[in-house]
Amino acid sequence: MVDAATIERVREAVLDEEKVLRACAELLSCARSRTVTLLVTHIVKRAAGIGSRRMLLPPAYLSAARAHLRAHPVISDTQHRTWALVEEVVHGRGRPKYYRLRYARL
């Protein structure tokens, strides 16, 4: 069970577009290849400072984070490399569809 304080931190992070973009840039700066796949949940957890804890995030929060990233299809990471966003919808067998964000380095 997730406590209310953690959910509040996630909500505040998702409402702050800068936090979401910064978290995405930090994750991309660790990339070792020219194409990187990031899950929206990882970006939101990074923005909220949660770490790698397993927890399900409300779909509305993930949609808000995706909207921030879609509004900035080209971003720079902390090493000043430029990345372009390519979004994919993945239909898993026996699992609900989910969105995978792929970034290709320009």
Side-chain angles (χ1 to χ4, degrees):
M1 185 87 183
V2 180
D3 61 350
T6 302
I7 289 294
E8 184 60 25
R9 279 200 346 240
V10 170
R11 188 183 72 75
E12 288 174 4
V14 166
L15 292 176
D16 187 349
E17 183 176 343
E18 283 301 314
K19 279 188 179 178
V20 172
L21 294 174
R22 191 174 333 115
C24 187
E26 288 171 0
L27 289 170
L28 286 173
S29 68
C30 301
R32 301 215 189 298
S33 62
R34 295 189 67 81
T35 304
V36 179
T37 301
L38 296 178
L39 294 178
V40 186
T41 54
H42 294 165
I43 296 169
V44 172
K45 287 178 184 179
R46 179 74 172 246
I50 293 175
S52 61
R53 248 175 73 185
R54 285 188 76 127
M55 63 181 266
L56 294 175
L57 300 175
Y61 293 171
L62 301 178
S63 295
R66 247 190 319 278
H68 294 326
L69 295 167
R70 282 186 193 130
H72 301 273
V74 176
I75 66 170
S76 294
D77 64 15
T78 57
Q79 298 177 6
H80 307 292
R81 297 179 297 187
T82 307
W83 298 82
L85 170 67
V86 180
E87 189 172 13
E88 298 175 329
V89 179
V90 180
H91 299 275
R93 285 176 279 207
R95 294 179 8 200
K97 71 178 182 181
Y98 64 95
Y99 294 87
R100 182 166 47 197
L101 299 175
R102 291 180 63 78
Y103 285 89
R105 194 166 5 156
L106 298 178

